[in-house]
Amino acid sequence: MIRSDYLIIGSGIAGLSLALKVAQKAKVSLITKKKLFDSSTDKAQGGIACVIDKSDSFEKHIQDTLVSGAGLCDKDKVTKLVQESPDRLNELISLGVEFTKKENNPNEFDLGLEGGHSQRRILHAGDVTGNEIENVLIKNILKNKSITVFENYTAIDLIVNENNICCGAYVFANEKNYIEIFQAKIIALACGGASKTYLYTSNPDVSTGDGIAMAYRAGADVANMEFVQFHPTCLYNKNAKSFLISEAVRGEGAILRLKDGSQFMDKYSPQKELAPRDIVARAIDKELKTRRQDCVYLDITSKSKSFLMKRFPNIYIKCLDYGIDMAKDMIPVIPAAHFFCGGVKIDEHGRTNIKNLYALGETSCSGIHGANRLASNSLLEGIVYADRVYKDSLRLLNGKYYDLQNLPNKYKTSKNNSLVYMQEWEEIRRASWNYLSITRSNEKLIKAKKRISILKSEINTFFKHSPVTVENIELRNIACIADLIVNSALQRKESRGLHYNVDYPEMLPVAKDIVLNESVK
C-alpha cells in the first residue's frame, strides 16, 4: 500500500498545476498511465484565453463564452473563471512559461484570435502552447521533493467506504503487472477527456474517460455527457493519426472550401469560419453528407510562407510531412471528437458528491462550457480549478486515513495475451461515431442504446473474468462512456444547434443539467 496526503490521477495542466500547489502543504502521489507528458495538454496548439488587452473586457469574454455554450453555461461560474484568469496566467509565467511576444514590441504578448471570440485574447507559444506549458510544469514537478511521480500506473477503480468517503484507488502497475492500493486523505481526478470513445478524434490514445468512468462506478454524479465537442479541422490523411489543425489558423484568415474551391460557411453563420466550433463542425458535416465527399479544405494560401512558418511552425512542418505546403496547397480536413463538456459533476470548488473526492479539467462538468466550449477556455479552466481545488482541500489535510486492510482482492493479474478486446474496442468506437456523432436522431440513439448496452455487458463480463491489462481497463471505461453519452442524449429533449440565436441568447431558457449516477438510467 502506498500512502500520501494527496492522490492526483492525471498529468495534464490541471493535475500538474494542482500537484505543485498542494506540494506546498502536503505529500503528493501523482500517477499517470503513461509518461508525464502523455496528455491532451501536451497536444494543445491554440493557447489560453485571457483578457489582458486594453480594448478587451471581462464582459466580452464572458459573453463570448455564454454564446458559444448555447446559453447552457453557468453564468456565475463563467464570470469567476474569467475574472480569475489573469492571476492564474501570471502564475504560469512565473513558473517559466514563455508566451509569444509581438515582434515589434517584446513587452506585449502576441494575442491570437479563434472561433467564437470577439477579440484577440489568446496567449500562445507559437502553435505548441500545450507542449510549452506541459514541459515547464513537469520541470517544476520533478524538482519538487514533496511530489512522488508514478509513471505507467493506471487507475482501475476508486475505493469508497460505507460512509461515501473516497479513501484511495486500486491502481495497476503496467510494467510490473500487479495491483497497488494507493491510500490518501484527498483524491483528485484530473484524467482528461474521453474522445477515444469515437473512431475519429484529435485526442491522444490516453483519452479514454478513465476518471469519469471510475467516478461513475463509485457513485459520483456525472452530467451533460451528451455534449461532446467535435473540432472542425482535423487533418484528413490516412497516415496522420489525430493531428489537429489549430483553430488559430482560421483566426489568421483561413477559409473553408469545398473540393471545387467554393466557400460555404456564409450559409451557416454571419461569423463564417470564426463561428463557434459546434456550428462550424455541423456545417462541414452537412456539406460532406449532402455532397458525399470525404473532406473539406482549409485554405490559408493568402498568407506568405514566412508568416506561416513563424506563426505555425509545427503545423507547417507536419503538413509538409504529408506533402502539403500550407503556403501553396489547401489542407484537407474533417471534424473529429475533441472535448467533453460534460463529466463528473462538481461545484465551484471542484467537489463531487463523494466526500474527499475532487474532479477538475476535462474530467469534470464545471458548468463553464455549457453545450459547446469556447476555444482556448479548456487550459484556462484547468489552472483556475487547480487553484480552487487546492484552496478548498486544505481543510481536509488534518483528517484521518480510513482502514483499508480488509479490502477484497477483486482483480486477476496473470499474463493475458488475448486479443478479444480489440474487436470490442473497434465496435464501441464505430458505434459511437455512427450513432452518437455530430448529428443525431432518436432512431440513431435507440439503435445505439441497444447495441452499446449489449457491448457494455459483454465487456464488463470479460473484464471480470480476465487478467487486468491497460487495454482491458480502457475498454471497460470507453464502454461506460458510450453508455453514458447515449443515456444522456436520450434525456435531452432539445437541440439548439444552428438555430441558436447568437444575438439574443437570453431568448432561450436555460435547460437543466442531465445528471446520471449508478441508480439513474
Side-chain angles (χ1 to χ4, degrees):
M1 182 183 296
I2 295 173
R3 175 183 283 186
S4 58
D5 298 310
Y6 224 107
L7 172 61
I8 298 173
I9 305 174
S11 61
I13 189 172
L16 297 181
S17 298
L18 176 59
L20 287 173
K21 286 177 178 285
V22 170
Q24 302 171 58
K25 302 285 186 180
K27 295 293 184 181
V28 181
S29 292
L30 174 65
I31 72 172
T32 181
K33 67 180 174 182
K34 287 191 177 181
K35 297 296 184 181
L36 279 174
F37 57 79
D38 285 304
S39 68
S40 291
T41 296
D42 185 66
K43 305 298 182 186
Q45 298 171 346
I48 299 184
C50 183
V51 175
I52 62 170
D53 190 81
K54 292 179 181 179
S55 66
D56 202 1
S57 68
F58 288 158
E59 290 72 23
K60 290 178 182 177
H61 190 180
I62 293 165
Q63 182 65 8
D64 290 345
T65 301
L66 298 177
V67 169
S68 287
L72 299 181
C73 309
D74 185 314
K75 186 175 181 179
D76 289 340
K77 291 180 180 178
V78 172
T79 300
K80 291 176 182 177
L81 176 92
V82 170
Q83 291 175 343
E84 292 174 30
S85 60
D87 288 342
R88 303 291 80 79
L89 259 294
N90 285 331
E91 288 177 352
L92 281 184
I93 293 168
S94 69
L95 287 172
V97 174
E98 295 185 3
F99 293 107
T100 301
K101 300 289 185 65
K102 289 182 178 179
E103 188 172 0
N104 59 354
N105 188 348
N107 294 319
E108 291 186 9
F109 293 109
D110 177 48
L111 300 178
L113 177 66
E114 295 180 351
H117 289 273
S118 58
Q119 298 279 141
R120 285 186 174 270
R121 64 169 70 97
I122 314 302
L123 285 88
H124 62 93
D127 61 348
V128 289
T129 309
N131 180 262
E132 164 69 11
I133 293 170
E134 192 83 350
N135 282 334
V136 169
L137 291 176
I138 288 172
K139 286 178 183 177
N140 283 276
I141 289 284
L142 294 179
K143 64 185 181 184
N144 194 308
K145 295 181 180 179
S146 293
I147 302 171
T148 304
V149 174
F150 296 86
E151 292 183 316
N152 295 303
Y153 277 70
T154 304
I156 307 171
D157 283 307
L158 298 171
I159 300 169
V160 178
N161 68 18
E162 65 278 5
N163 295 315
N164 197 39
I165 299 171
C166 190
C167 312
Y170 292 101
V171 180
F172 179 59
N174 306 352
E175 297 175 336
K176 300 174 183 177
N177 195 44
Y178 70 88
I179 308 299
E180 183 69 79
I181 292 174
F182 280 75
Q183 184 182 35
K185 298 174 183 176
I186 305 160
I187 295 85
L189 299 174
C191 314
S195 289
K196 288 295 287 187
T197 307
Y198 287 88
L199 196 59
Y200 302 109
T201 173
S202 64
N203 284 193
D205 289 342
V206 294
S207 300
T208 50
D210 304 336
I212 300 170
M214 285 191 297
Y216 178 72
R217 287 193 295 268
D221 290 340
V222 298
N224 298 348
M225 288 295 290
E226 73 278 25
F227 292 143
V228 182
Q229 181 182 81
F230 290 80
H231 198 289
T233 54
C234 202
L235 180 62
Y236 179 70
N237 186 294
K238 64 180 181 180
N239 297 316
K241 184 179 180 181
S242 305
F243 186 73
L244 193 68
I245 306 298
S246 173
E247 186 133 354
V249 176
R250 281 179 282 133
E252 297 297 345
I255 302 297
L256 284 165
R257 299 186 186 277
L258 298 170
K259 189 175 183 179
D260 62 7
S262 60
Q263 298 176 231
F264 59 90
M265 277 308 302
D266 57 342
K267 296 189 296 183
Y268 298 95
S269 171
Q271 295 168 287
K272 300 180 183 179
E273 279 75 11
L274 291 178
R277 287 176 179 171
D278 62 329
I279 294 176
V280 180
R282 197 174 287 111
I284 293 173
D285 185 65
K286 183 176 181 180
E287 292 291 331
L288 293 180
K289 288 177 177 175
T290 300
R291 300 169 187 277
R292 297 186 178 181
Q293 295 179 357
D294 295 326
C295 66
V296 296
Y297 296 85
L298 196 60
D299 180 7
I300 194 166
T301 56
S302 61
K303 297 293 185 180
S304 68
K305 180 178 179 178
S306 59
F307 172 84
L308 294 173
M309 291 183 69
K310 182 176 179 61
R311 179 66 179 88
F312 305 111
N314 180 53
I315 297 174
Y316 190 91
I317 292 171
K318 191 72 172 181
C319 285
L320 277 183
D321 288 343
Y322 297 104
I324 303 164
D325 185 342
M326 291 172 63
K328 300 176 181 178
D329 307 317
M330 296 193 297
I331 308 168
V333 294
I334 56 169
H338 183 62
F339 187 89
F340 272 66
C341 298
V344 184
K345 188 172 175 60
I346 60 171
D347 65 11
E348 64 180 315
H349 305 291
R351 302 174 192 164
T352 71
N353 62 306
I354 297 176
K355 297 173 185 177
N356 296 10
L357 178 66
Y358 292 85
L360 64 162
E362 195 177 350
T363 297
S364 70
C365 180
S366 64
I368 299 293
H369 307 302
N372 173 61
R373 174 175 64 81
L374 179 65
S376 290
N377 268 359
S378 57
L379 297 181
L380 176 61
E381 180 192 29
I383 54 175
V384 167
Y385 274 82
D387 186 69
R388 299 261 190 92
V389 170
Y390 161 64
K391 290 174 179 175
D392 186 76
S393 62
L394 290 176
R395 63 190 170 84
L396 300 173
L397 284 176
N398 292 326
K400 65 178 183 178
Y401 293 100
Y402 291 88
D403 182 23
L404 299 183
Q405 295 302 315
N406 298 313
L407 289 174
N409 184 9
K410 303 194 298 181
Y411 310 101
K412 301 178 182 179
T413 56
S414 60
K415 284 291 184 181
N416 175 33
N417 296 318
S418 172
L419 297 180
V420 173
Y421 78 89
M422 293 182 66
Q423 179 179 344
E424 305 286 357
W425 179 279
E426 175 76 10
E427 284 194 60
I428 282 284
R429 297 182 71 206
R430 191 168 292 280
S432 296
W433 185 259
N434 289 339
Y435 303 125
L436 306 175
S437 193
I438 298 171
T439 55
R440 301 169 184 167
S441 66
N442 284 335
E443 182 182 6
K444 284 184 177 182
L445 292 176
I446 291 169
K447 285 182 179 179
K449 183 172 177 60
K450 291 178 180 178
R451 185 66 193 126
I452 289 171
S453 293
I454 293 170
L455 284 168
K456 182 185 176 186
S457 177
E458 291 174 352
I459 289 166
N460 284 343
T461 299
F462 173 70
F463 183 87
K464 184 177 180 181
H465 295 99
S466 300
V468 173
T469 65
V470 176
E471 292 82 5
N472 293 347
I473 294 169
E474 292 180 330
L475 177 61
R476 181 173 68 144
N477 288 340
I478 68 166
C480 177
I481 297 297
D483 187 59
L484 289 170
I485 295 169
V486 71
N487 281 299
S488 292
L490 283 167
Q491 291 191 47
R492 179 73 65 183
K493 301 301 183 183
E494 64 168 345
S495 180
R496 299 188 174 193
L498 297 175
H499 304 293
Y500 182 63
N501 192 313
V502 174
D503 297 318
Y504 301 100
E506 67 277 4
M507 291 179 65
L508 287 174
V510 174
K512 294 181 179 179
D513 288 339
I514 301 297
V515 179
L516 300 177
N517 56 51
E518 277 287 19
S519 64
V520 180
K521 292 289 186 180

